[in-house]
Amino acid sequence: MQAVVQHGTTFAAAQACHISQPAITRAIQQLEQHCGLALFLRTARGMVPTDTGRQMAARTSALLNCLQTGARDALASDSAKRSNDSTAERFARGITASQIQALLSVAANGSESRAAQALGISQPAVHTSLQGLERLLSIRLFYKLPTGTWLTPPGAALLLRVKQALAELRGLESELSAWHGKTDGKIVIGILPLSVPIFLPQALKTLMQAHTAVRVGIIDGTYEDLLQRLRSADIDLIAGALRREPPGPDIHQWPLFDDDLVIVAAPDHPCLRQDKLQLQDLTQWRWVTPLPGTPADHLLRHIFAARGLTPPSGRLYANSPLMTQALIQQTGHLAIASRGQAKQEALQGNLCIVPVATPGTQRKIGLTIRAGTRISPPLQALLQACEDAVAGLGLINAGKSLG
């Protein structure tokens, strides 16, 4: 596919790939039959990709680039080797589906025997695939220990990029459905504790009503954990508070709206009955604070430090909004929450916003995705649904269009 797009004829593509011209022709025909679409226009001067063909070529280029980058990263992490573009290109051309399956399964299961059981094949077959991977790069990718089979640093570097390549393949499958007039596929969203309930439920409702074949998974965690999952393509985006700067050139941040933090309490909390309540008055009650080291934790400390006060001890902290709310309602703890989310909970009578100013706590809320990848149709639909949800709630848009 890539060679024909690049060189314009099956003859030139065959020379570039070092295989026969009939093999190139058969491969393109099989690809078109599988897709049910014409990928090239045949002319007297050669083969020109159709619009669909150009889109597939772009996705394929991204997939192969992930594999080549994985090879370069693996070589670079081995001090005895030197990164080599020709080796990386040969690796991307030579790696097989069985080798990818073996790599992923061994990484997930920790031994060749368990990997083989998970794949439904023999242990020698897994071992052969792993050996083939190592031969492609001429480096050691696995440790064989009494406790199992583990990835070396080059193996871990390769695994990350292989997972990204498979994400491109999933994106290609979604695009194939879209070319046939259907949006389907799976999206996995990582969510951070604060502000997400303001807009994400409505966005998901819109998405799943409009595209009934799309499946969505939601997981929560710390930012560091979710960022690693995003980079390894285990999730497709992170929803929540953005960092002041993206954590690296491989990450894009899409601001949606601005939100700030407020102090919240149960409706019957004694602080709400106190006249002329001041921030220092709140130090006498128990708090459940955000996870130490998180931006929300830093902002809470800033609120008190700006008034020359000692911040809450952090003796009890939680990363779970559900547990935080239970502690507020059942044990009388104070906490901080996003203003938008607190307003929604207050309307339902679950908690009250404590009437104490919290200056300097404004944050940008939005979505974080991997850079350098083509956004799949279902993910694009979700991004648009998030923008629409924010607009429908009348929130101040902090960024530019996701489209």
Side-chain angles (χ1 to χ4, degrees):
M1 173 72 186
Q2 286 297 100
V4 174
V5 169
Q6 182 178 354
H7 297 285
T9 67
T10 54
F11 177 77
Q15 290 184 316
C17 293
H18 306 293
I19 56 178
S20 70
Q21 184 177 3
I24 291 283
T25 300
R26 283 195 301 273
I28 296 298
Q29 288 174 344
Q30 290 170 355
L31 193 56
E32 289 181 320
Q33 289 170 2
H34 178 77
C35 295
L37 295 164
L39 301 177
F40 292 92
L41 297 175
R42 278 74 170 173
T43 71
R45 302 181 63 180
M47 298 175 67
V48 180
T50 62
D51 288 342
T52 301
R54 277 190 290 270
Q55 292 178 56
M56 178 175 282
R59 180 69 75 176
T60 308
S61 178
L63 186 157
L64 293 174
N65 183 63
C66 287
L67 294 175
Q68 290 177 16
T69 302
R72 286 192 290 267
D73 290 350
L75 291 167
S77 64
D78 188 323
S79 58
K81 293 290 181 179
R82 180 180 299 175
S83 182
N84 187 303
D85 283 344
S86 62
T87 300
E89 187 175 347
R90 285 197 303 273
F91 173 83
R93 289 182 179 179
I95 190 171
T96 66
S98 60
Q99 289 168 346
I100 289 175
Q101 289 173 334
L103 171 65
L104 295 173
S105 192
V106 165
N109 294 286
S111 78
E112 291 183 5
S113 59
R114 288 193 294 270
Q117 186 176 11
L119 293 172
I121 60 177
S122 68
Q123 183 271 334
V126 170
H127 184 73
T128 298
S129 292
L130 299 183
Q131 284 186 319
L133 267 181
E134 291 184 323
R135 283 196 298 271
L136 281 172
L137 291 173
S138 298
I139 57 175
R140 189 176 185 182
L141 300 174
F142 308 94
Y143 293 123
K144 284 284 289 182
L145 301 172
T147 55
T149 302
W150 307 100
L151 296 178
T152 64
L158 177 63
L159 176 67
L160 176 69
R161 301 298 184 176
V162 167
K163 284 187 171 184
Q164 292 177 356
L166 292 179
E168 296 293 343
L169 188 60
R170 292 192 296 272
L172 178 58
E173 291 171 341
S174 294
E175 286 177 338
L176 178 57
S177 294
W179 296 333
H180 287 284
K182 184 173 69 172
T183 299
D184 65 8
K186 182 179 179 181
I187 304 169
V188 181
I189 307 169
I191 59 170
L192 296 171
L194 302 178
S195 303
V196 175
I198 302 172
F199 70 95
L200 189 58
Q202 181 59 49
L204 290 175
K205 178 182 177 182
T206 300
L207 171 74
M208 301 188 80
Q209 284 180 341
H211 305 291
T212 56
V214 172
R215 295 169 294 140
V216 179
I218 300 173
I219 63 172
D220 59 12
T222 64
Y223 181 81
E224 290 72 20
D225 173 57
L226 294 178
L227 182 63
Q228 177 59 33
R229 289 171 179 255
L230 179 66
R231 282 181 161 141
S232 62
D234 293 321
I235 64 175
D236 299 295
L237 78 160
I238 302 172
L242 304 179
R243 275 24 187 185
R244 291 187 180 276
E245 297 293 336
D250 60 330
I251 299 297
H252 273 330
Q253 295 189 148
W254 297 99
L256 289 174
F257 63 95
D258 293 326
D259 193 20
D260 62 344
L261 298 177
V262 294
I263 300 171
V264 293
D268 59 352
H269 196 282
C271 76
L272 299 173
R273 299 192 295 270
Q274 184 168 324
D275 293 334
K276 298 180 180 179
L277 186 66
Q278 302 292 320
L279 184 64
Q280 58 264 30
D281 299 325
L282 301 180
T283 59
Q284 64 184 291
W285 286 291
R286 295 170 297 175
W287 283 73
V288 52
T289 62
L291 206 62
T294 60
D297 180 58
H298 292 314
L299 289 173
L300 175 61
R301 293 179 177 278
H302 168 77
I303 294 170
F304 283 85
R307 306 281 182 87
L309 301 171
T310 301
S313 67
R315 183 183 174 197
L316 176 63
Y317 57 85
N319 192 48
S320 164
L322 184 63
M323 193 64 206
T324 298
Q325 184 165 322
L327 289 165
I328 293 170
Q329 294 174 321
Q330 299 177 34
T331 67
H333 282 74
L334 299 174
I336 58 171
S338 84
R339 184 180 296 276
Q341 190 174 343
K343 285 182 177 179
Q344 292 180 350
E345 295 294 338
L347 287 174
Q348 299 174 21
N350 296 326
L351 52 77
C352 288
I353 296 175
V354 177
V356 170
T358 54
T361 62
Q362 190 176 76
R363 311 165 307 149
K364 292 190 181 299
I365 307 301
L367 308 171
T368 302
I369 62 175
R370 290 187 302 278
T373 184
R374 289 173 58 86
I375 297 175
S376 67
L379 182 56
Q380 181 63 55
L382 175 61
L383 299 179
Q384 187 59 56
C386 288
E387 273 208 331
D388 293 343
V390 167
L393 292 168
L395 298 171
I396 298 174
N397 194 313
K400 56 187 179 180
S401 171
L402 295 171

